[in-house]
Amino acid sequence: MKDSLAKRMQHLGIRDVDFEETFARSGGPGGQNVNKVSTAVTLRHRPSGFSVTVQDSRSQALNRKLARERLLDAIETARQKQRGAEIAAREKARRRKSPRPAALKERILQSKRRRAEIKRKRRKIDD
């Protein structure tokens, strides 16, 4: 399981030194253990500023692993969203720059001619 986490981190270009880990006492079920031992883990990715807090388990080691997984999920989602936005912006610029098809241009001009004819008929008649 550790290998898959390491592979994901390598694929995303994230190193262990980019993380800042803090531990605190968690609450909820777990009895005396969660009240005495710092099992809650807050993991922050310094370059991106993303932060995740996990206190699902009574085990600090398991919470650390879960925090890493959730933080990687958040970073992947953010990068995919950013990539999608960049693609959409490129496509929008491409559509804006491309010329109108000849048939569409002709239809627009025909519509303008009809409108001009209607307005011409509204003019006052010169005596």
Side-chain angles (χ1 to χ4, degrees):
M1 200 54 127
K2 188 79 169 166
D3 293 335
S4 66
L5 202 58
K7 284 180 185 176
R8 279 180 70 191
M9 286 176 63
Q10 186 178 12
H11 176 71
L12 290 170
I14 296 172
R15 302 169 302 163
D16 262 338
V17 294
D18 294 340
F19 292 136
E20 180 182 304
E21 258 181 337
T22 53
F23 305 101
R25 293 192 182 117
S26 61
Q32 186 177 10
N33 185 61
V34 296
N35 296 330
K36 289 181 74 177
V37 182
S38 298
T39 55
V41 178
T42 301
L43 190 63
R44 190 170 80 88
H45 184 241
R46 284 192 206 104
S48 67
F50 285 110
S51 180
V52 174
T53 301
V54 178
Q55 57 181 14
D56 296 357
S57 168
R58 292 180 63 194
S59 162
Q60 187 184 71
L62 185 58
N63 282 339
R64 289 180 72 198
K65 181 179 166 292
L66 289 172
R68 276 184 167 60
E69 287 175 357
R70 290 181 189 169
L71 192 58
L72 290 177
D73 288 342
I75 292 170
E76 275 180 343
T77 304
R79 287 188 182 173
Q80 286 173 353
K81 197 178 282 188
Q82 181 184 10
R83 213 172 299 125
E86 288 171 358
I87 291 169
R90 266 199 319 264
E91 283 298 309
K92 187 175 182 178
R94 184 188 62 78
R95 284 192 305 271
R96 197 171 43 237
K97 288 179 184 176
S98 67
R100 286 190 172 128
L104 176 62
K105 191 171 183 179
E106 187 55 43
R107 265 201 323 266
I108 291 169
L109 289 174
Q110 194 67 32
S111 168
K112 286 183 173 189
R113 286 187 203 109
R114 274 195 304 269
R115 189 84 188 131
E117 185 62 34
I118 291 168
K119 287 189 164 197
R120 211 174 295 119
K121 289 178 181 177
R122 285 191 207 143
R123 279 195 292 194
K124 283 187 177 181
I125 301 171
D126 291 333
D127 287 324

